[in-house]
Amino acid sequence: MLYPMTFKPILKKIIWGGSDICPFKGITPVEEGIGESWELSHVEGNYSIVDNGDLEGKSLDELIRTYGKQLLGEKVMDQFGSTFPLLIKFIDARDDLSIQVHPNDELAMKRHNSFGKTEMWYVINAAEGAGLYSGFSQQIDAEEYVKRVGDNTIMDVLQRYEVSPGDVFFLPAGRVHAIGAGCFIAEIQQTSNITYRIYDYDRKDANGNGRELHTELAKDAIDYTMSPDYRTHYKAHTNATVELANCKYFTTNLLDLDTMMVRDFSELDSFVVYICMEGKASIRDNKGNEIFVHQGQTVLIPADTEVVTISPAPNAKFMETYIG
């Protein structure tokens, strides 16, 4: 019988990584330089491993092969096959990440036989003055983009946002973006590891070499459409489901709870992921399974679960994500 599952985090030491992920997740001893924690992953070579209950030690890949639509949902398997379609991460940037873009499904399939990458960010914490880049600040075309990368002026036409906890950015494939130093972020993205690096601030490694740029690949992947505001605006409410993102790849809600909430998923036909952003809670399903979770944990609710009851202790904040 399937039940709510937690997974062992896959911690990534990265040159730009900070020291916030371990304390946030309650991991001791604290490791320095952890840039990412892959919370739920079906990226080859980085399969998540179950951390609780009878299926402890099984990989997400094994679960999908054994349980299929019971775990994922029939509709989800029709759309994405036997791939878990989302990658859930925490990201802690001590330094600026490179400016990058991800291809859409069509281009990624043609070039890499892969899904594209649409994603979203939720800012958990931010140092004073910390910011990120999303989209263009003025209209340019592919020709001007190539020229600006060549003469190091691409930053002049990118939209920078100073950020605070709770800020949300939806990043469809094709949108130029980068996380800035001092940002601690939860990221929900399509299962894809394809990134085109546009600009790396002309940084050099110990041998004086710059990192590889994917100028030509990125040129055709970028969506040059201008938007007046790339930030997601929402009104926070306690004990309500507040929608943060809704696209064909995922729907994400924010649940800020100080009292019990019942979620009915009997008509959903999709798995549900809960990312605990603050506090503690118990999550109980209609089969009698119960799991206690705390800040920094991610829980996978199988698609064959009909009802979930969340009881905060005394309060908890979750991001809730599913397909549909």
Side-chain angles (χ1 to χ4, degrees), residues 233-251:
H233 296 276
Y234 68 96
K235 277 199 165 62
H237 290 288
T238 309
N239 304 318
T241 55
V242 178
E243 189 175 275
L244 302 180
N246 187 344
C247 67
K248 67 180 179 179
Y249 304 112
F250 52 81
T251 297

PDB file of all heavy atoms in Angstrom, residues 233-251:
ATOM      1  N   HIS A 233       2.057  38.227  -8.518  1.00  0.00           N
ATOM      2  CA  HIS A 233       1.399  38.923  -7.413  1.00  0.00           C
ATOM      3  C   HIS A 233       0.280  38.041  -6.854  1.00  0.00           C
ATOM      4  O   HIS A 233      -0.516  37.488  -7.619  1.00  0.00           O
ATOM      5  CB  HIS A 233       0.838  40.266  -7.895  1.00  0.00           C
ATOM      6  CG  HIS A 233       1.923  41.207  -8.345  1.00  0.00           C
ATOM      7  ND1 HIS A 233       2.620  41.999  -7.456  1.00  0.00           N
ATOM      8  CD2 HIS A 233       2.464  41.428  -9.572  1.00  0.00           C
ATOM      9  CE1 HIS A 233       3.530  42.702  -8.124  1.00  0.00           C
ATOM     10  NE2 HIS A 233       3.459  42.368  -9.409  1.00  0.00           N
ATOM     11  N   TYR A 234       0.233  37.916  -5.557  1.00  0.00           N
ATOM     12  CA  TYR A 234      -0.820  37.116  -4.912  1.00  0.00           C
ATOM     13  C   TYR A 234      -1.115  37.713  -3.546  1.00  0.00           C
ATOM     14  O   TYR A 234      -0.290  38.423  -2.977  1.00  0.00           O
ATOM     15  CB  TYR A 234      -0.384  35.643  -4.778  1.00  0.00           C
ATOM     16  CG  TYR A 234       0.759  35.411  -3.810  1.00  0.00           C
ATOM     17  CD1 TYR A 234       0.519  35.035  -2.484  1.00  0.00           C
ATOM     18  CD2 TYR A 234       2.092  35.566  -4.210  1.00  0.00           C
ATOM     19  CE1 TYR A 234       1.562  34.821  -1.599  1.00  0.00           C
ATOM     20  CE2 TYR A 234       3.139  35.356  -3.322  1.00  0.00           C
ATOM     21  CZ  TYR A 234       2.868  34.985  -2.018  1.00  0.00           C
ATOM     22  OH  TYR A 234       3.897  34.777  -1.131  1.00  0.00           O
ATOM     23  N   LYS A 235      -2.295  37.422  -3.035  1.00  0.00           N
ATOM     24  CA  LYS A 235      -2.681  37.888  -1.697  1.00  0.00           C
ATOM     25  C   LYS A 235      -2.615  36.709  -0.735  1.00  0.00           C
ATOM     26  O   LYS A 235      -3.290  35.708  -0.915  1.00  0.00           O
ATOM     27  CB  LYS A 235      -4.119  38.440  -1.731  1.00  0.00           C
ATOM     28  CG  LYS A 235      -4.208  39.880  -2.198  1.00  0.00           C
ATOM     29  CD  LYS A 235      -5.546  40.492  -1.762  1.00  0.00           C
ATOM     30  CE  LYS A 235      -5.549  42.010  -1.866  1.00  0.00           C
ATOM     31  NZ  LYS A 235      -5.351  42.499  -3.222  1.00  0.00           N
ATOM     32  N   ALA A 236      -1.772  36.854   0.279  1.00  0.00           N
ATOM     33  CA  ALA A 236      -1.628  35.777   1.258  1.00  0.00           C
ATOM     34  C   ALA A 236      -2.861  35.717   2.161  1.00  0.00           C
ATOM     35  O   ALA A 236      -3.404  36.743   2.557  1.00  0.00           O
ATOM     36  CB  ALA A 236      -0.381  36.001   2.092  1.00  0.00           C
ATOM     37  N   HIS A 237      -3.343  34.507   2.446  1.00  0.00           N
ATOM     38  CA  HIS A 237      -4.468  34.298   3.367  1.00  0.00           C
ATOM     39  C   HIS A 237      -4.136  33.114   4.259  1.00  0.00           C
ATOM     40  O   HIS A 237      -3.605  32.113   3.787  1.00  0.00           O
ATOM     41  CB  HIS A 237      -5.766  33.980   2.606  1.00  0.00           C
ATOM     42  CG  HIS A 237      -6.318  35.144   1.847  1.00  0.00           C
ATOM     43  ND1 HIS A 237      -6.912  36.219   2.458  1.00  0.00           N
ATOM     44  CD2 HIS A 237      -6.361  35.391   0.510  1.00  0.00           C
ATOM     45  CE1 HIS A 237      -7.298  37.094   1.529  1.00  0.00           C
ATOM     46  NE2 HIS A 237      -6.967  36.614   0.348  1.00  0.00           N
ATOM     47  N   THR A 238      -4.467  33.209   5.533  1.00  0.00           N
ATOM     48  CA  THR A 238      -4.282  32.075   6.442  1.00  0.00           C
ATOM     49  C   THR A 238      -5.430  31.083   6.256  1.00  0.00           C
ATOM     50  O   THR A 238      -6.572  31.487   6.027  1.00  0.00           O
ATOM     51  CB  THR A 238      -4.249  32.566   7.902  1.00  0.00           C
ATOM     52  OG1 THR A 238      -3.300  33.634   7.989  1.00  0.00           O
ATOM     53  CG2 THR A 238      -3.808  31.467   8.852  1.00  0.00           C
ATOM     54  N   ASN A 239      -5.097  29.794   6.317  1.00  0.00           N
ATOM     55  CA  ASN A 239      -6.085  28.694   6.257  1.00  0.00           C
ATOM     56  C   ASN A 239      -6.902  28.720   4.965  1.00  0.00           C
ATOM     57  O   ASN A 239      -8.105  28.483   4.954  1.00  0.00           O
ATOM     58  CB  ASN A 239      -7.000  28.735   7.483  1.00  0.00           C
ATOM     59  CG  ASN A 239      -6.215  28.682   8.774  1.00  0.00           C
ATOM     60  OD1 ASN A 239      -5.253  27.924   8.884  1.00  0.00           O
ATOM     61  ND2 ASN A 239      -6.585  29.501   9.740  1.00  0.00           N
ATOM     62  N   ALA A 240      -6.206  29.024   3.864  1.00  0.00           N
ATOM     63  CA  ALA A 240      -6.842  29.004   2.536  1.00  0.00           C
ATOM     64  C   ALA A 240      -5.813  28.462   1.543  1.00  0.00           C
ATOM     65  O   ALA A 240      -4.614  28.441   1.818  1.00  0.00           O
ATOM     66  CB  ALA A 240      -7.282  30.409   2.139  1.00  0.00           C
ATOM     67  N   THR A 241      -6.285  27.997   0.385  1.00  0.00           N
ATOM     68  CA  THR A 241      -5.359  27.613  -0.679  1.00  0.00           C
ATOM     69  C   THR A 241      -5.200  28.818  -1.598  1.00  0.00           C
ATOM     70  O   THR A 241      -6.159  29.260  -2.234  1.00  0.00           O
ATOM     71  CB  THR A 241      -5.887  26.404  -1.478  1.00  0.00           C
ATOM     72  OG1 THR A 241      -7.189  26.707  -1.966  1.00  0.00           O
ATOM     73  CG2 THR A 241      -5.957  25.168  -0.623  1.00  0.00           C
ATOM     74  N   VAL A 242      -4.007  29.362  -1.635  1.00  0.00           N
ATOM     75  CA  VAL A 242      -3.707  30.554  -2.435  1.00  0.00           C
ATOM     76  C   VAL A 242      -2.881  30.120  -3.643  1.00  0.00           C
ATOM     77  O   VAL A 242      -1.774  29.595  -3.493  1.00  0.00           O
ATOM     78  CB  VAL A 242      -2.927  31.592  -1.600  1.00  0.00           C
ATOM     79  CG1 VAL A 242      -2.575  32.808  -2.455  1.00  0.00           C
ATOM     80  CG2 VAL A 242      -3.728  32.010  -0.373  1.00  0.00           C
ATOM     81  N   GLU A 243      -3.434  30.306  -4.831  1.00  0.00           N
ATOM     82  CA  GLU A 243      -2.746  29.842  -6.045  1.00  0.00           C
ATOM     83  C   GLU A 243      -1.554  30.730  -6.374  1.00  0.00           C
ATOM     84  O   GLU A 243      -1.675  31.953  -6.430  1.00  0.00           O
ATOM     85  CB  GLU A 243      -3.716  29.823  -7.222  1.00  0.00           C
ATOM     86  CG  GLU A 243      -3.130  29.155  -8.456  1.00  0.00           C
ATOM     87  CD  GLU A 243      -4.141  29.032  -9.589  1.00  0.00           C
ATOM     88  OE1 GLU A 243      -4.909  28.050  -9.580  1.00  0.00           O
ATOM     89  OE2 GLU A 243      -4.172  29.934 -10.456  1.00  0.00           O
ATOM     90  N   LEU A 244      -0.396  30.094  -6.592  1.00  0.00           N
ATOM     91  CA  LEU A 244       0.819  30.810  -6.976  1.00  0.00           C
ATOM     92  C   LEU A 244       1.159  30.619  -8.446  1.00  0.00           C
ATOM     93  O   LEU A 244       1.746  31.508  -9.063  1.00  0.00           O
ATOM     94  CB  LEU A 244       2.010  30.337  -6.132  1.00  0.00           C
ATOM     95  CG  LEU A 244       1.909  30.465  -4.617  1.00  0.00           C
ATOM     96  CD1 LEU A 244       3.187  29.950  -3.964  1.00  0.00           C
ATOM     97  CD2 LEU A 244       1.635  31.903  -4.199  1.00  0.00           C
ATOM     98  N   ALA A 245       0.848  29.451  -8.984  1.00  0.00           N
ATOM     99  CA  ALA A 245       1.176  29.154 -10.378  1.00  0.00           C
ATOM    100  C   ALA A 245       0.190  28.121 -10.907  1.00  0.00           C
ATOM    101  O   ALA A 245      -0.242  27.236 -10.176  1.00  0.00           O
ATOM    102  CB  ALA A 245       2.598  28.616 -10.505  1.00  0.00           C
ATOM    103  N   ASN A 246      -0.130  28.262 -12.192  1.00  0.00           N
ATOM    104  CA  ASN A 246      -1.035  27.307 -12.831  1.00  0.00           C
ATOM    105  C   ASN A 246      -0.663  27.218 -14.298  1.00  0.00           C
ATOM    106  O   ASN A 246      -0.883  28.162 -15.058  1.00  0.00           O
ATOM    107  CB  ASN A 246      -2.485  27.760 -12.650  1.00  0.00           C
ATOM    108  CG  ASN A 246      -3.472  26.720 -13.157  1.00  0.00           C
ATOM    109  OD1 ASN A 246      -3.096  25.815 -13.899  1.00  0.00           O
ATOM    110  ND2 ASN A 246      -4.719  26.845 -12.752  1.00  0.00           N
ATOM    111  N   CYS A 247      -0.054  26.116 -14.690  1.00  0.00           N
ATOM    112  CA  CYS A 247       0.312  25.905 -16.093  1.00  0.00           C
ATOM    113  C   CYS A 247       0.157  24.424 -16.386  1.00  0.00           C
ATOM    114  O   CYS A 247      -0.189  23.645 -15.508  1.00  0.00           O
ATOM    115  CB  CYS A 247       1.745  26.373 -16.357  1.00  0.00           C
ATOM    116  SG  CYS A 247       3.022  25.395 -15.514  1.00  0.00           S
ATOM    117  N   LYS A 248       0.421  24.016 -17.616  1.00  0.00           N
ATOM    118  CA  LYS A 248       0.184  22.603 -17.963  1.00  0.00           C
ATOM    119  C   LYS A 248       1.184  21.660 -17.289  1.00  0.00           C
ATOM    120  O   LYS A 248       0.977  20.449 -17.251  1.00  0.00           O
ATOM    121  CB  LYS A 248       0.183  22.402 -19.472  1.00  0.00           C
ATOM    122  CG  LYS A 248       1.509  22.633 -20.164  1.00  0.00           C
ATOM    123  CD  LYS A 248       1.327  22.386 -21.667  1.00  0.00           C
ATOM    124  CE  LYS A 248       2.616  22.622 -22.437  1.00  0.00           C
ATOM    125  NZ  LYS A 248       2.462  22.355 -23.866  1.00  0.00           N
ATOM    126  N   TYR A 249       2.265  22.221 -16.732  1.00  0.00           N
ATOM    127  CA  TYR A 249       3.289  21.392 -16.106  1.00  0.00           C
ATOM    128  C   TYR A 249       3.082  21.236 -14.613  1.00  0.00           C
ATOM    129  O   TYR A 249       3.507  20.248 -14.028  1.00  0.00           O
ATOM    130  CB  TYR A 249       4.674  21.973 -16.374  1.00  0.00           C
ATOM    131  CG  TYR A 249       4.941  22.150 -17.850  1.00  0.00           C
ATOM    132  CD1 TYR A 249       5.054  23.417 -18.414  1.00  0.00           C
ATOM    133  CD2 TYR A 249       5.054  21.045 -18.685  1.00  0.00           C
ATOM    134  CE1 TYR A 249       5.289  23.578 -19.769  1.00  0.00           C
ATOM    135  CE2 TYR A 249       5.279  21.185 -20.044  1.00  0.00           C
ATOM    136  CZ  TYR A 249       5.390  22.466 -20.578  1.00  0.00           C
ATOM    137  OH  TYR A 249       5.602  22.616 -21.919  1.00  0.00           O
ATOM    138  N   PHE A 250       2.482  22.219 -13.967  1.00  0.00           N
ATOM    139  CA  PHE A 250       2.203  22.117 -12.528  1.00  0.00           C
ATOM    140  C   PHE A 250       1.256  23.218 -12.092  1.00  0.00           C
ATOM    141  O   PHE A 250       1.186  24.280 -12.704  1.00  0.00           O
ATOM    142  CB  PHE A 250       3.493  22.177 -11.690  1.00  0.00           C
ATOM    143  CG  PHE A 250       4.391  23.348 -11.979  1.00  0.00           C
ATOM    144  CD1 PHE A 250       4.146  24.605 -11.423  1.00  0.00           C
ATOM    145  CD2 PHE A 250       5.494  23.205 -12.813  1.00  0.00           C
ATOM    146  CE1 PHE A 250       4.982  25.688 -11.682  1.00  0.00           C
ATOM    147  CE2 PHE A 250       6.334  24.289 -13.091  1.00  0.00           C
ATOM    148  CZ  PHE A 250       6.067  25.533 -12.522  1.00  0.00           C
ATOM    149  N   THR A 251       0.518  22.912 -11.035  1.00  0.00           N
ATOM    150  CA  THR A 251      -0.248  23.913 -10.294  1.00  0.00           C
ATOM    151  C   THR A 251       0.355  23.965  -8.897  1.00  0.00           C
ATOM    152  O   THR A 251       0.602  22.917  -8.293  1.00  0.00           O
ATOM    153  CB  THR A 251      -1.741  23.528 -10.210  1.00  0.00           C
ATOM    154  OG1 THR A 251      -2.278  23.510 -11.532  1.00  0.00           O
ATOM    155  CG2 THR A 251      -2.519  24.515  -9.355  1.00  0.00           C
TER     156      THR A 251
END
